[in-house]
């Protein structure tokens, strides 16, 4: 045992890996969480958006066939959400009045003597048509239909959904970029220290005529390996996080699919390798160009 | 092997700087194939800088120098490794690795310079060790060898890629006189088989025992015993 220890060779390209792997893991983890949230929020966002309805108010005194015509016209449009069948339902003015009475406890028919409400279609739209621009176009288009009185939608709700999703995304992306910068600086310093501790080896290699590619190679391989290792760690943590979140948030797993997670995990692994490779390439280029005397 | 008449080293009108001040200027000399040349001069006279310039460790900023066919004055950093494979460097700060055996020391150099075939590497190691007069020591660790033996291993290491010239800086600096003579004889033998040698030394007994051409660094110039007469004394 003792003998083995003294015979242990200093190998070129090795450097203390704990801190490097740790920080790459952190960076990848933040990046992965960003991806994780993106994965969920886009699904969740679509769900929320799809549950938002636009209301198509109809003219009064339309015949049953007119109403059917309007329904067919709206259903044929590409922006109507289809879940097994097109998500459009008719709410007659009687139903609307009933809902109103239930909600307020006041029966306006008593003092108005008439039902002032209109028949309406509640229509769910596909998520991709939820921007305010396309909503305005849709509103304009449907309002041209004969028999349609007016189209309304909850502008502020939709807007705030869109804005919040973008905001959260940007914040996470910002954190991820910051973490990547930290990784680059850390790898830079680690490589510098490693080159310093191996300067005699490197000096000897240079004196006998080793090409700089040959000297760089072990460092690059090693940091790619560390990147991969960090990627695997980050994937494991995110997997554990997902399992945990699924256990405490009901219905969360409905937003997940294997394909999305496979994509996320392979992205994290590839990012790990790339980050490891390029940041150590940058560092080693910089310090090998420096003569070793300057490193002393 | 080619027997061209081109000199192995040709330096013309070169100046060597250390940071901003000139160490040596108007350097003109050539070393022919198979020549043995001593390089002498006081400590700090620029011997080491001159040698460093010749193997492209110190950039040549003024003048012209050609070493084993490479133009050192504007050599690209990519070419430097290939220049160094054609020369052998025996230097004080270029020691053996004490954490690996003699064979591993030599293997390290071979791998770094593009050797791939293990059988060929093994043969070459046996060959160079025989050449420097060391038999079955390849499994030994450097600290198990005497100073003279270690220096022979260093020379063996320099010989691995069949260099055209050996640059040696004080190769016998830490050795006692008897051992030093042995090392110098080894250089003579290597030189007799056609490898040029440029040796920086403080040991003037060498020059008495094995007289060869002398280059002397003095007062910012390089004097050449083949062109002019100068005192050998006064240097140590």
């Amino acid at each position: 045992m003792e003998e083995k220890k003294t015979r242990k060779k200093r190998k070129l390209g090795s450097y203390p890996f704990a801190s490097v792997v740790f920080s790459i893991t952190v960076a990848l983890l933040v990046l992965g969480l960003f991806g994780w949230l993106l994965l969920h929020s886009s699904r969740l966002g679509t769900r929320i958006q799809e549950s938002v309805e636009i209301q198509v108010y109809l003219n009064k005194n339309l015949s049953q066939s007119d109403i059917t015509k309007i329904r067919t016209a709206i259903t044929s449009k590409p922006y109507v959400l289809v879940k097994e069948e097109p998500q459009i339902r008719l709410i007659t003015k009687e139903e609307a009045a009933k809902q109103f009475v239930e909600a307020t406890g006041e029966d306006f028919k008593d003092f108005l003597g008439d039902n002032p409400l209109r028949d309406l279609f509640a229509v769910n739209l596909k998520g991709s048509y939820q921007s305010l621009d396309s909503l305005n176009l849709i509103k304009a288009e449907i309002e041209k239909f004969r028999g349609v009185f007016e189209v309304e939608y909850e502008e502020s709700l939709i807007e705030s959904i869109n804005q919040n999703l973008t905001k959260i995304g940007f914040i996470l992306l910002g954190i991820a970029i910051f973490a990547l910068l930290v990784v680059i600086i850390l790898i830079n310093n680690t490589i510098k220290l490693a080159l310093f501790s191996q300067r005699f080896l490197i000096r000897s290699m240079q004196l006998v005529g080793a090409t700089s590619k040959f000297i760089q190679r072990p460092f690059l391989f090693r940091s790619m390996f560390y990147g991969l290792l960090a990627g695997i760690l980050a994937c494991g943590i995110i997997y554990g996080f997902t399992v945990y979140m699924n256990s405490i948030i009901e219905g969360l797993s409905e937003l997940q699919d294997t394909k999305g997670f496979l994509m996320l995990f392979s992205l994290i692994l590839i990012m790990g390798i790339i980050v490891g490779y390029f940041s150590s390439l940058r560092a080693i280029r910089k310090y090998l160009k420096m003569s070793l005397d300057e490193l002393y | 092997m080619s027997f061209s008449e081109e000199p192995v080293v040709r330096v013309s009108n070169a100046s060597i700087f250390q940071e901003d001040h000139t160490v040596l200027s108007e350097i003109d000399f050539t070393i022919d194939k198979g020549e043995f040349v001593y390089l002498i001069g006081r400590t700090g006279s620029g011997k080491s800088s001159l040698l460093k310039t010749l193997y492209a460790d110190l950039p040549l900023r003024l003048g012209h120098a050609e070493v084993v066919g490479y133009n050192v004055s504007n050599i690209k950093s990519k070419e430097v490794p290939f220049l160094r494979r054609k020369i052998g460097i025996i230097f004080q700060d270029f020691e053996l690795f004490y954490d690996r055996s003699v064979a591993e020391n030599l293997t390290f150099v071979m791998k770094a310079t593009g050797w791939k075939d293990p059988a060929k590497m093994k043969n070459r190691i046996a060959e160079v060790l025989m050449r420097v007069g060391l038999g079955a020591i390849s499994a030994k660790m450097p600290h198990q060898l005497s100073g003279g033996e270690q220096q022979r291993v260093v020379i063996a290491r320099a010989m691995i890629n069949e260099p055209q010239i050996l640059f040696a800086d004080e190769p016998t600096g830490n050795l006692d006189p008897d051992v030093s003579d042995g090392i110098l004889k080894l250089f003579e033998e290597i030189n007799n088989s056609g490898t040029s040698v440029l040796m920086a030394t403080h040991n003037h007994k060498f020059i008495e025992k094995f007289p060869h051409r002398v280059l002397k660094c003095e007062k910012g110039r390089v004097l050449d015993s083949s062109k002019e007469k100068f005192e050998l004394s006064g240097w140590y």
Side-chain angles (χ1 to χ4, degrees), chain A residues 6-12 200-214 293, chain B residues 52 55 57 81-82 84-85 89 93-95 97 99-100 104 108-109 111-113 141 157 161:
Chain A
T6 52
R7 273 199 55 119
K8 201 179 165 201
K9 277 178 268 177
R10 281 176 305 164
K11 269 189 92 173
L12 184 72
F200 293 114
L201 264 167
I202 293 171
R203 173 83 182 144
S204 304
M205 290 175 110
Q206 288 179 333
L207 283 181
V208 299
T211 56
S212 47
K213 272 207 182 102
F214 183 87
D293 294 341
Chain B
K52 277 187 174 177
Y55 64 82
D57 201 32
F82 300 98
R84 291 190 185 154
R85 287 177 196 188
I89 300 172
D93 68 341
F94 182 20
E95 296 180 325
F97 297 121
D99 56 356
R100 58 192 85 193
E104 285 168 330
F108 169 81
V109 174
K111 281 187 177 159
T113 50
M141 302 297 283
R157 180 178 64 183
N161 289 311

Side-chain angles (χ1 to χ4, degrees), chain B residues 6-205:
Chain B
E6 278 291 298
V8 185
V9 175
R10 185 209 302 271
V11 183
S12 52
N13 207 14
S15 294
I16 287 168
F17 299 89
Q18 204 138 51
E19 313 227 310
D20 281 334
H21 68 270
T22 321
V23 183
L24 294 167
S25 58
E26 295 172 43
I27 312 165
D28 273 288
F29 67 88
T30 58
I31 296 173
D32 287 327
K33 193 169 165 49
E35 215 180 344
F36 196 124
V37 180
Y38 290 110
L39 181 63
I40 60 172
R42 284 169 190 272
T43 306
S45 60
K47 299 192 303 285
S48 294
S49 299
L50 176 60
L51 285 172
K52 277 187 174 177
T53 308
L54 291 180
Y55 64 82
D57 201 32
L58 203 68
L60 179 62
R61 288 189 271 171
L62 198 66
H64 183 85
E66 204 176 296
V67 180
V68 294
Y70 287 88
N71 184 351
V72 177
S73 37
N74 57 5
I75 192 164
K76 289 184 190 125
S77 56
K78 261 188 185 172
E79 292 174 334
V80 171
F82 300 98
L83 159 71
R84 291 190 185 154
R85 287 177 196 188
K86 289 190 168 183
I87 60 185
I89 300 172
I90 296 152
F91 249 58
Q92 284 162 321
D93 68 341
F94 182 20
E95 296 180 325
L96 296 172
F97 297 121
Y98 289 92
D99 56 356
R100 58 192 85 193
S101 72
V102 168
E104 285 168 330
N105 263 286
L106 298 177
T107 315
F108 169 81
V109 174
M110 298 175 109
K111 281 187 177 159
T113 50
W115 289 67
K116 297 256 155 61
D117 185 344
K120 276 186 188 166
M121 284 164 71
K122 221 175 158 189
N123 282 340
R124 183 66 187 155
I125 289 173
E127 226 173 276
V128 288
L129 286 178
M130 288 300 280
R131 184 94 186 271
V132 298
L134 296 171
I137 58 131
S138 58
K140 284 193 177 169
M141 302 297 283
H143 64 81
Q144 295 172 306
L145 305 176
S146 72
E149 284 172 325
Q150 287 184 22
Q151 197 60 9
R152 282 171 192 266
V153 176
V154 170
I155 295 167
R157 180 178 64 183
M159 295 297 295
I160 272 181
N161 289 311
E162 298 183 37
Q164 295 180 26
I165 184 166
L166 288 180
F167 291 126
D169 193 0
E170 288 294 333
T172 59
N174 315 323
L175 302 175
D176 60 57
D178 288 349
V179 181
S180 298
D181 283 0
I183 297 290
L184 193 70
K185 273 194 192 121
L186 176 58
F187 273 104
E188 284 278 330
E189 282 166 33
I190 291 169
N191 177 241
N192 286 337
S193 62
T195 309
S196 310
V197 175
L198 177 60
M199 183 191 292
T201 183
H202 282 125
N203 193 336
H204 59 273
K205 280 196 185 127

Side-chain angles (χ1 to χ4, degrees), chain A residues 20-30 183 229-231 233-234 237:
Chain A
V20 169
V21 172
F22 177 74
S23 53
I24 303 181
T25 306
V26 170
L28 289 177
L29 200 60
V30 179
V183 167
L229 206 68
L233 275 174
I237 294 171

Side-chain angles (χ1 to χ4, degrees), chain A residues 42-54 71 73-89 122-130 135 138 142:
Chain A
S42 70
R43 286 289 181 89
L44 184 68
T46 315
R47 292 236 168 161
I48 293 172
Q49 285 172 333
E50 284 172 359
S51 69
V52 172
E53 296 169 335
I54 62 168
R71 178 196 275 269
I74 294 175
T75 312
S76 72
K77 293 296 172 191
Y79 37 74
V80 176
L81 179 66
V82 180
K83 272 186 185 166
E84 285 159 25
E85 53 189 51
Q87 298 294 301
I88 177 169
R89 59 205 166 85
V123 185
N124 294 98
L125 297 184
K126 285 180 186 161
S128 50
Y129 289 93
Q130 295 279 0
L135 280 175
I138 290 168
I142 295 180

